[in-house]
Coordinates of all heavy atoms in Angstrom, one line a residue:
M69 N -5.9 -4.4 -11.8 CA -5.3 -3.6 -10.8 C -4.3 -4.6 -9.9 O -3.2 -4.2 -9.7 CB -6.3 -3.0 -9.9 CG -5.7 -2.2 -8.7 SD -4.7 -0.8 -9.0 CE -5.7 0.3 -9.9
L70 N -4.8 -5.7 -9.5 CA -4.0 -6.6 -8.7 C -2.8 -7.2 -9.6 O -1.7 -7.4 -9.0 CB -4.8 -7.8 -8.2 CG -5.8 -7.5 -7.1 CD1 -6.6 -8.7 -6.7 CD2 -5.1 -6.9 -5.9
H71 N -3.0 -7.3 -10.9 CA -1.9 -7.8 -11.7 C -0.7 -6.8 -11.6 O 0.4 -7.2 -11.7 CB -2.4 -8.0 -13.1 CG -3.1 -9.3 -13.4 ND1 -4.4 -9.4 -13.4 CD2 -2.6 -10.5 -13.7 CE1 -4.7 -10.6 -13.6 NE2 -3.6 -11.4 -13.8
D72 N -1.0 -5.5 -11.5 CA 0.0 -4.5 -11.5 C 0.7 -4.5 -10.1 O 1.9 -4.1 -10.1 CB -0.6 -3.1 -11.7 CG -1.2 -3.0 -13.1 OD1 -0.8 -3.8 -14.0 OD2 -2.0 -2.1 -13.3
R73 N 0.1 -5.0 -9.1 CA 0.6 -4.9 -7.7 C 1.3 -6.2 -7.3 O 2.1 -6.1 -6.3 CB -0.5 -4.5 -6.7 CG -1.1 -3.2 -7.0 CD -0.2 -2.1 -6.4 NE -0.8 -0.9 -6.6 CZ -0.7 0.1 -5.8 NH1 0.0 0.0 -4.7 NH2 -1.2 1.3 -6.1
I74 N 1.0 -7.3 -7.9 CA 1.5 -8.6 -7.4 C 2.6 -9.1 -8.4 O 2.3 -9.3 -9.5 CB 0.3 -9.6 -7.3 CG1 -0.7 -9.1 -6.3 CG2 0.8 -11.0 -7.0 CD1 -1.9 -10.0 -6.1
P75 N 3.7 -9.3 -7.8 CA 4.8 -9.8 -8.6 C 4.5 -11.2 -9.2 O 3.9 -12.0 -8.5 CB 6.0 -9.9 -7.7 CG 5.7 -9.1 -6.5 CD 4.2 -9.1 -6.4
D76 N 4.8 -11.5 -10.4 CA 4.6 -12.8 -11.0 C 3.1 -13.2 -11.0 O 2.8 -14.3 -10.9 CB 5.4 -13.9 -10.3 CG 6.9 -13.6 -10.3 OD1 7.4 -13.1 -11.3 OD2 7.6 -13.9 -9.3
A77 N 2.2 -12.2 -11.2 CA 0.8 -12.4 -11.2 C 0.4 -13.3 -12.4 O -0.4 -14.2 -12.3 CB 0.0 -11.1 -11.3
G78 N 1.1 -13.1 -13.6 CA 0.9 -13.9 -14.8 C -0.6 -14.0 -15.1 O -1.4 -13.1 -15.1
K79 N -1.1 -15.2 -15.2 CA -2.5 -15.5 -15.6 C -3.2 -16.2 -14.4 O -4.0 -17.1 -14.6 CB -2.6 -16.3 -16.8 CG -2.1 -15.6 -18.1 CD -2.4 -16.3 -19.3 CE -1.9 -15.6 -20.5 NZ -2.9 -14.6 -21.1
K80 N -2.7 -15.9 -13.2 CA -3.3 -16.6 -12.0 C -4.8 -16.2 -12.0 O -5.2 -15.0 -12.3 CB -2.7 -16.1 -10.7 CG -1.3 -16.7 -10.6 CD -0.7 -16.2 -9.3 CE 0.8 -16.7 -9.1 NZ 1.4 -16.1 -7.9
P81 N -5.7 -17.1 -11.5 CA -7.1 -16.7 -11.3 C -7.2 -15.6 -10.3 O -6.4 -15.5 -9.4 CB -7.7 -18.0 -10.8 CG -6.7 -19.1 -11.0 CD -5.4 -18.5 -11.2
L82 N -8.3 -14.9 -10.4 CA -8.6 -13.8 -9.5 C -8.6 -14.3 -8.0 O -8.1 -13.6 -7.1 CB -9.9 -13.1 -9.8 CG -10.3 -11.9 -9.0 CD1 -9.2 -10.8 -9.0 CD2 -11.6 -11.3 -9.5
H83 N -9.1 -15.4 -7.7 CA -9.2 -15.9 -6.4 C -7.8 -16.0 -5.8 O -7.5 -15.6 -4.7 CB -9.9 -17.3 -6.4 CG -10.0 -17.9 -5.0 ND1 -10.8 -17.4 -4.0 CD2 -9.4 -19.0 -4.4 CE1 -10.7 -18.1 -2.9 NE2 -9.9 -19.1 -3.1
Q84 N -6.8 -16.5 -6.6 CA -5.4 -16.6 -6.1 C -4.8 -15.2 -5.9 O -4.0 -15.0 -5.0 CB -4.6 -17.4 -7.1 CG -4.8 -18.9 -7.0 CD -3.9 -19.7 -7.9 OE1 -3.4 -19.2 -8.9 NE2 -3.7 -21.0 -7.6
L85 N -5.1 -14.3 -6.8 CA -4.6 -13.0 -6.7 C -5.1 -12.3 -5.5 O -4.3 -11.6 -4.8 CB -4.9 -12.1 -7.9 CG -4.3 -12.5 -9.3 CD1 -4.8 -11.7 -10.4 CD2 -2.8 -12.5 -9.2
I86 N -6.3 -12.5 -5.1 CA -6.9 -11.9 -3.9 C -6.2 -12.5 -2.7 O -5.8 -11.7 -1.8 CB -8.4 -12.1 -3.9 CG1 -9.1 -11.3 -5.0 CG2 -9.0 -11.7 -2.5 CD1 -10.6 -11.7 -5.2
N87 N -6.1 -13.8 -2.7 CA -5.4 -14.4 -1.5 C -4.0 -14.0 -1.4 O -3.5 -13.7 -0.3 CB -5.5 -16.0 -1.6 CG -6.8 -16.5 -1.4 OD1 -7.7 -15.9 -0.8 ND2 -7.1 -17.7 -1.9
Q88 N -3.2 -13.9 -2.5 CA -1.8 -13.5 -2.5 C -1.7 -12.0 -2.1 O -0.9 -11.6 -1.3 CB -1.2 -13.7 -3.8 CG 0.3 -13.4 -3.8 CD 1.0 -13.8 -5.1 OE1 0.5 -14.5 -5.9 NE2 2.2 -13.3 -5.2
G89 N -2.7 -11.2 -2.6 CA -2.7 -9.8 -2.2 C -2.9 -9.6 -0.7 O -2.2 -8.7 -0.1
A90 N -3.7 -10.4 -0.1 CA -4.0 -10.3 1.3 C -2.7 -10.8 2.1 O -2.3 -10.2 3.1 CB -5.2 -11.1 1.7
A91 N -2.2 -11.9 1.6 CA -1.0 -12.5 2.3 C 0.2 -11.6 2.2 O 1.0 -11.5 3.2 CB -0.7 -13.8 1.7
D92 N 0.3 -10.8 1.1 CA 1.5 -9.9 0.9 C 1.3 -8.5 1.5 O 2.1 -7.7 1.4 CB 1.8 -9.8 -0.6 CG 2.3 -11.1 -1.2 OD1 2.6 -12.0 -0.4 OD2 2.4 -11.2 -2.4
G93 N 0.1 -8.3 2.1 CA -0.2 -7.0 2.7 C -0.6 -5.9 1.7 O -0.7 -4.8 2.0
I94 N -0.9 -6.3 0.4 CA -1.3 -5.4 -0.6 C -2.8 -5.0 -0.4 O -3.2 -3.9 -0.6 CB -1.1 -6.0 -2.0 CG1 0.4 -6.2 -2.3 CG2 -1.7 -5.1 -3.1 CD1 0.7 -7.0 -3.5
L95 N -3.6 -6.0 0.1 CA -5.0 -5.8 0.4 C -5.2 -6.0 1.9 O -4.5 -6.8 2.6 CB -5.8 -6.9 -0.3 CG -5.8 -6.9 -1.8 CD1 -6.6 -8.1 -2.3 CD2 -6.5 -5.7 -2.4
T96 N -6.1 -5.2 2.5 CA -6.5 -5.4 3.8 C -7.4 -6.6 3.9 O -7.9 -7.0 2.8 CB -7.2 -4.2 4.4 OG1 -8.5 -4.0 3.7 CG2 -6.4 -2.9 4.3
A97 N -7.7 -7.1 5.0 CA -8.6 -8.2 5.2 C -10.0 -7.8 4.6 O -10.7 -8.6 4.0 CB -8.7 -8.7 6.6
R98 N -10.4 -6.6 4.9 CA -11.7 -6.1 4.4 C -11.8 -6.0 2.9 O -12.7 -6.5 2.3 CB -12.0 -4.7 5.0 CG -13.3 -4.1 4.5 CD -13.4 -2.6 5.0 NE -12.4 -1.8 4.5 CZ -12.4 -1.2 3.3 NH1 -13.4 -1.4 2.5 NH2 -11.4 -0.4 2.9
Q99 N -10.7 -5.5 2.3 CA -10.6 -5.4 0.9 C -10.7 -6.8 0.2 O -11.4 -7.0 -0.7 CB -9.4 -4.7 0.4 CG -9.4 -3.2 0.7 CD -8.0 -2.6 0.5 OE1 -7.0 -3.2 0.6 NE2 -8.1 -1.3 0.2
A100 N -9.9 -7.7 0.8 CA -9.9 -9.1 0.2 C -11.3 -9.8 0.4 O -11.7 -10.4 -0.6 CB -8.8 -9.9 1.0
E101 N -11.9 -9.5 1.5 CA -13.3 -10.1 1.7 C -14.2 -9.6 0.7 O -15.0 -10.3 0.0 CB -13.7 -9.8 3.1 CG -15.2 -10.3 3.4 CD -15.6 -9.9 4.8 OE1 -14.9 -9.3 5.6 OE2 -16.8 -10.1 5.0
Y102 N -14.2 -8.2 0.5 CA -15.2 -7.6 -0.5 C -14.9 -8.0 -1.9 O -15.8 -8.3 -2.7 CB -15.1 -6.1 -0.4 CG -15.8 -5.6 0.9 CD1 -15.7 -4.2 1.2 CD2 -16.5 -6.4 1.8 CE1 -16.3 -3.7 2.3 CE2 -17.1 -5.8 2.9 CZ -17.0 -4.5 3.2 OH -17.6 -4.0 4.3
L103 N -13.6 -8.1 -2.2 CA -13.2 -8.5 -3.6 C -13.6 -9.9 -3.9 O -14.0 -10.3 -4.9 CB -11.7 -8.3 -3.8 CG -11.2 -6.9 -4.0 CD1 -9.7 -6.8 -4.1 CD2 -11.8 -6.3 -5.3
D104 N -13.4 -10.8 -2.9 CA -13.8 -12.2 -3.1 C -15.3 -12.4 -3.2 O -15.8 -13.2 -4.0 CB -13.3 -13.1 -1.9 CG -13.4 -14.5 -2.2 OD1 -12.8 -15.0 -3.3 OD2 -14.0 -15.3 -1.5
Y105 N -16.0 -11.6 -2.4 CA -17.5 -11.6 -2.6 C -17.9 -11.2 -4.0 O -18.7 -11.8 -4.6 CB -18.1 -10.8 -1.5 CG -19.6 -10.8 -1.5 CD1 -20.3 -12.0 -1.2 CD2 -20.4 -9.7 -1.9 CE1 -21.7 -12.0 -1.3 CE2 -21.8 -9.7 -1.9 CZ -22.4 -10.9 -1.6 OH -23.8 -11.0 -1.7
G106 N -17.3 -10.1 -4.5 CA -17.6 -9.6 -5.8 C -17.2 -10.6 -6.9 O -17.9 -10.8 -7.9
R107 N -16.1 -11.3 -6.6 CA -15.6 -12.4 -7.5 C -16.7 -13.5 -7.6 O -17.0 -14.0 -8.7 CB -14.3 -13.0 -7.0 CG -13.8 -14.1 -7.9 CD -12.6 -14.9 -7.2 NE -13.1 -15.5 -6.0 CZ -13.7 -16.7 -5.9 NH1 -14.0 -17.4 -7.0 NH2 -14.0 -17.2 -4.7
Q108 N -17.2 -13.9 -6.5 CA -18.3 -14.9 -6.5 C -19.5 -14.5 -7.2 O -20.1 -15.3 -8.0 CB -18.6 -15.3 -5.0 CG -17.5 -16.0 -4.3 CD -17.8 -16.2 -2.8 OE1 -18.9 -16.6 -2.5 NE2 -16.9 -15.9 -1.9
I109 N -19.9 -13.2 -7.1 CA -21.0 -12.7 -7.9 C -20.7 -12.7 -9.3 O -21.5 -13.2 -10.2 CB -21.4 -11.3 -7.4 CG1 -22.0 -11.3 -6.0 CG2 -22.4 -10.7 -8.3 CD1 -22.1 -10.0 -5.3
R110 N -19.5 -12.3 -9.7 CA -19.1 -12.3 -11.1 C -19.1 -13.7 -11.7 O -19.6 -13.9 -12.8 CB -17.7 -11.7 -11.2 CG -17.2 -11.6 -12.7 CD -15.7 -11.7 -12.7 NE -15.2 -13.0 -12.3 CZ -14.0 -13.3 -12.2 NH1 -13.0 -12.4 -12.6 NH2 -13.6 -14.5 -11.8
D111 N -18.6 -14.6 -10.9 CA -18.5 -16.0 -11.4 C -19.9 -16.6 -11.6 O -20.2 -17.3 -12.5 CB -17.7 -16.9 -10.4 CG -16.2 -16.6 -10.5 OD1 -15.8 -15.9 -11.3 OD2 -15.5 -17.2 -9.6
G112 N -20.8 -16.3 -10.6 CA -22.2 -16.7 -10.8 C -22.9 -16.2 -12.0 O -23.6 -16.9 -12.7
M113 N -22.6 -15.0 -12.4 CA -23.2 -14.4 -13.6 C -22.5 -15.0 -14.8 O -23.2 -15.3 -15.8 CB -23.0 -12.9 -13.6 CG -23.9 -12.2 -12.5 SD -23.6 -10.4 -12.6 CE -24.8 -9.8 -11.4
A114 N -21.2 -15.1 -14.8 CA -20.5 -15.6 -16.0 C -20.9 -17.1 -16.3 O -20.9 -17.5 -17.4 CB -19.0 -15.5 -15.7
H115 N -21.2 -17.9 -15.2 CA -21.4 -19.3 -15.4 C -22.9 -19.6 -15.4 O -23.3 -20.8 -15.3 CB -20.7 -20.1 -14.4 CG -19.2 -19.9 -14.5 ND1 -18.5 -20.4 -15.5 CD2 -18.3 -19.3 -13.6 CE1 -17.2 -20.1 -15.3 NE2 -17.1 -19.4 -14.2
G116 N -23.8 -18.6 -15.5 CA -25.2 -18.8 -15.6 C -25.9 -19.2 -14.3 O -27.1 -19.5 -14.3
Q117 N -25.2 -19.1 -13.1 CA -25.9 -19.4 -11.9 C -26.7 -18.3 -11.4 O -27.7 -18.5 -10.7 CB -24.8 -19.8 -10.8 CG -24.0 -21.0 -11.2 CD -22.7 -21.1 -10.5 OE1 -22.2 -20.1 -9.9 NE2 -22.1 -22.2 -10.5
T118 N -26.4 -17.1 -11.7 CA -27.2 -15.9 -11.4 C -27.8 -15.4 -12.7 O -27.1 -15.1 -13.6 CB -26.3 -14.8 -10.8 OG1 -25.6 -15.3 -9.7 CG2 -27.1 -13.6 -10.4
T119 N -29.1 -15.4 -12.8 CA -29.7 -15.2 -14.0 C -30.3 -13.8 -14.2 O -30.9 -13.5 -15.2 CB -30.9 -16.2 -14.3 OG1 -31.8 -16.2 -13.2 CG2 -30.3 -17.6 -14.4
H120 N -30.3 -13.0 -13.1 CA -30.8 -11.7 -13.2 C -30.0 -10.8 -14.1 O -28.8 -10.6 -13.9 CB -31.0 -11.0 -11.8 CG -31.8 -11.8 -10.9 ND1 -33.1 -12.1 -11.1 CD2 -31.4 -12.4 -9.7 CE1 -33.5 -12.9 -10.1 NE2 -32.5 -13.1 -9.2
A121 N -30.6 -10.3 -15.2 CA -29.9 -9.4 -16.1 C -29.8 -8.0 -15.5 O -28.8 -7.3 -15.8 CB -30.6 -9.3 -17.4
V122 N -30.7 -7.7 -14.6 CA -30.7 -6.3 -14.0 C -30.8 -6.5 -12.5 O -31.6 -7.3 -12.0 CB -31.9 -5.5 -14.6 CG1 -31.9 -4.1 -13.9 CG2 -31.8 -5.4 -16.1
M123 N -29.9 -5.7 -11.8 CA -30.0 -5.7 -10.4 C -30.8 -4.5 -9.9 O -30.6 -3.5 -10.5 CB -28.6 -5.6 -9.8 CG -27.8 -6.8 -10.0 SD -26.2 -6.6 -9.1 CE -25.3 -8.0 -9.7
P124 N -31.6 -4.7 -8.9 CA -32.2 -3.5 -8.3 C -31.2 -2.6 -7.7 O -30.2 -3.0 -7.3 CB -33.2 -4.1 -7.2 CG -32.6 -5.5 -6.9 CD -31.8 -5.9 -8.1
P125 N -31.6 -1.3 -7.7 CA -30.6 -0.3 -7.2 C -30.1 -0.6 -5.8 O -29.0 -0.3 -5.5 CB -31.4 1.0 -7.3 CG -32.4 0.8 -8.4 CD -32.7 -0.7 -8.3
A126 N -31.0 -1.2 -5.0 CA -30.6 -1.5 -3.6 C -29.4 -2.5 -3.5 O -28.7 -2.5 -2.6 CB -31.8 -2.0 -2.8
V127 N -29.3 -3.3 -4.6 CA -28.2 -4.2 -4.6 C -27.0 -3.7 -5.4 O -25.8 -3.8 -5.0 CB -28.6 -5.6 -5.3 CG1 -27.5 -6.5 -5.5 CG2 -29.7 -6.2 -4.5
A128 N -27.3 -3.0 -6.5 CA -26.2 -2.5 -7.4 C -25.4 -1.3 -6.8 O -24.2 -1.3 -6.9 CB -26.8 -2.1 -8.7
I129 N -26.1 -0.4 -6.1 CA -25.4 0.8 -5.6 C -24.3 0.4 -4.6 O -23.1 0.8 -4.8 CB -26.4 1.8 -5.1 CG1 -27.2 2.4 -6.2 CG2 -25.6 2.9 -4.3 CD1 -28.3 3.3 -5.8
P130 N -24.6 -0.4 -3.6 CA -23.5 -0.8 -2.7 C -22.3 -1.5 -3.4 O -21.2 -1.4 -3.0 CB -24.2 -1.6 -1.6 CG -25.6 -1.3 -1.7 CD -25.8 -0.9 -3.1
M131 N -22.7 -2.4 -4.3 CA -21.7 -3.2 -5.0 C -20.7 -2.3 -5.8 O -19.5 -2.4 -5.8 CB -22.3 -4.2 -6.0 CG -21.3 -5.1 -6.6 SD -22.0 -6.3 -7.8 CE -23.5 -6.9 -6.9
V132 N -21.3 -1.3 -6.6 CA -20.5 -0.4 -7.4 C -19.7 0.5 -6.5 O -18.5 0.8 -6.7 CB -21.4 0.4 -8.3 CG1 -20.6 1.5 -9.0 CG2 -22.0 -0.5 -9.4
T133 N -20.3 1.0 -5.4 CA -19.6 1.9 -4.4 C -18.4 1.2 -3.8 O -17.3 1.7 -3.7 CB -20.6 2.3 -3.3 OG1 -21.7 3.0 -3.9 CG2 -19.9 3.2 -2.3
T134 N -18.6 -0.1 -3.4 CA -17.5 -0.9 -2.8 C -16.4 -1.1 -3.9 O -15.2 -0.9 -3.5 CB -18.0 -2.2 -2.3 OG1 -19.0 -2.0 -1.3 CG2 -16.9 -3.1 -1.7
S135 N -16.7 -1.4 -5.1 CA -15.7 -1.6 -6.1 C -14.9 -0.3 -6.3 O -13.7 -0.4 -6.4 CB -16.4 -2.0 -7.4 OG -17.1 -3.2 -7.3
F136 N -15.6 0.8 -6.5 CA -14.8 2.1 -6.7 C -14.0 2.4 -5.5 O -12.9 2.9 -5.6 CB -15.8 3.2 -7.0 CG -16.2 3.3 -8.4 CD1 -17.5 2.9 -8.8 CD2 -15.3 3.7 -9.4 CE1 -17.8 2.9 -10.2 CE2 -15.6 3.7 -10.7 CZ -16.9 3.3 -11.1
T137 N -14.5 2.1 -4.3 CA -13.7 2.4 -3.1 C -12.4 1.6 -3.0 O -11.3 2.2 -2.8 CB -14.6 2.1 -1.8 OG1 -15.7 2.9 -1.8 CG2 -13.8 2.4 -0.5
I138 N -12.5 0.3 -3.3 CA -11.3 -0.5 -3.3 C -10.3 -0.1 -4.3 O -9.1 0.0 -4.1 CB -11.7 -2.0 -3.4 CG1 -12.4 -2.4 -2.1 CG2 -10.5 -2.9 -3.6 CD1 -13.0 -3.8 -2.1
V139 N -10.8 0.1 -5.6 CA -9.9 0.6 -6.6 C -9.2 1.9 -6.2 O -8.0 2.1 -6.4 CB -10.6 0.7 -8.0 CG1 -9.8 1.4 -9.0 CG2 -11.1 -0.7 -8.5
S140 N -10.0 2.8 -5.7 CA -9.4 4.1 -5.2 C -8.3 3.9 -4.1 O -7.3 4.5 -4.2 CB -10.5 5.0 -4.7 OG -11.4 5.4 -5.7
E141 N -8.6 3.0 -3.2 CA -7.6 2.7 -2.1 C -6.4 2.1 -2.7 O -5.3 2.4 -2.3 CB -8.2 1.8 -1.1 CG -9.3 2.4 -0.3 CD -10.1 1.5 0.6 OE1 -9.8 0.2 0.6 OE2 -11.0 1.9 1.3
L142 N -6.5 1.2 -3.7 CA -5.4 0.5 -4.3 C -4.5 1.5 -5.1 O -3.3 1.5 -5.1 CB -5.8 -0.7 -5.1 CG -6.3 -1.9 -4.4 CD1 -6.8 -2.9 -5.3 CD2 -5.2 -2.5 -3.5
C143 N -5.2 2.4 -5.8 CA -4.5 3.4 -6.6 C -3.8 4.4 -5.7 O -2.7 4.9 -6.1 CB -5.5 4.2 -7.5 SG -6.1 3.2 -8.9
A144 N -4.3 4.7 -4.6 CA -3.7 5.7 -3.7 C -2.5 5.1 -2.9 O -1.7 5.8 -2.4 CB -4.7 6.2 -2.7
A145 N -2.6 3.7 -2.7 CA -1.5 3.1 -1.9 C -0.2 3.1 -2.7 O -0.2 2.9 -3.9 CB -1.9 1.7 -1.6
P146 N 0.9 3.2 -2.0 CA 2.2 3.2 -2.7 C 2.4 1.8 -3.3 O 2.1 0.8 -2.6 CB 3.2 3.5 -1.6 CG 2.5 3.3 -0.4 CD 1.1 3.5 -0.6
A147 N 3.0 1.7 -4.5 CA 3.3 0.4 -5.1 C 4.4 -0.3 -4.5 O 5.3 0.2 -3.9 CB 3.5 0.6 -6.6

């Protein structure tokens, strides 16, 4: 989603896209904070630092809800 909104996104890492999106006003501070937190969780899982294969619903539900909320907000915002 951020690749579509950020000019010259290319193959920049997600961390840089989040920072650029916030700096360019594409993301609000709240959206950038939540996306960066999700990025850190994703990185922990991808690099074996987080070993839980299954998250309890109390953790998973807010994470999925936040992800869908931010994607919905980005899709609704004018490009």
